[in-house]
Amino acid sequence: MAVAFVLLVLSVAAPAAFATQHIVGGSSGWTQGVNYATWASSQTFAVGDTLLFSYDSSHSVDSVSQSDYNNCNVNSPQNSYTGGSTIISLPSLGTMYFICGTPGHCQSGMNLAVTVSAGTNGTSSPGGSQSPPPPPPHHASAATTLGNFGGKMFLLLEFSLLVVAFVGFMA
């Protein structure tokens, strides 16, 4: 019975361990002169993933409504972040909108729309794992450490153990 409980806990916790941290803009980071629509189209964003914005003090990251995104309105952000490194979670389905709050930067292309799909993906597309400064250790993703193959093997092992525990519990 204790084994079944442990396996149940692992099956609930495992998806979060395989979330991907996307480095916004790849090696360029959050700055002017990057086509964020092109960068985002090369990524797969899933519930549980995070965005890492790396930027200098002349920029900020503002989470905004779709209307404010479309109009580059920097006057009423839902959230505003400064400090050079910001990690934002993607907790639910839908599209999230970000702009730079520095006047004129959004109009010159510092804006990002991210459409989040269901589930976790455990992999990142080209440009998603290039590294400006690494995130703090508590934000590191197990998928980055284990790699895509290792992550799939862990899930297969976990599923196998869950099946064995279920069969043992039913016997």
Side-chain angles (χ1 to χ4, degrees), residues 16-139:
F18 293 101
T20 297
Q21 183 168 77
H22 302 272
I23 299 172
V24 175
S27 61
S28 298
W30 184 239
T31 190
Q32 292 180 294
V34 176
N35 186 327
Y36 292 102
T38 299
W39 175 82
S41 71
S42 72
Q43 307 293 304
T44 301
F45 302 101
V47 172
D49 286 357
T50 58
L51 300 175
L52 170 61
F53 290 83
S54 294
Y55 50 99
D56 65 37
S57 62
S58 67
H59 304 296
S60 68
V61 177
D62 290 357
S63 173
V64 296
S65 68
Q66 181 178 7
S67 174
D68 287 346
Y69 173 84
N70 291 337
N71 296 303
C72 283
N73 179 10
V74 298
N75 297 320
S76 57
Q78 296 165 346
N79 292 295
S80 186
Y81 307 93
T82 59
S85 182
T86 301
I87 296 173
I88 296 177
S89 296
L90 305 177
S92 59
L93 298 175
T95 303
M96 297 177 70
Y97 301 94
F98 305 95
I99 62 175
C100 179
T102 303
H105 287 196
C106 177
Q107 290 86 344
S108 69
M110 280 190 76
N111 49 54
L112 172 66
V114 171
T115 301
V116 181
S117 62
T120 59
N121 65 36
T123 62
S124 66
S125 302
S129 62
Q130 298 168 347
S131 42
H138 66 279
H139 289 293

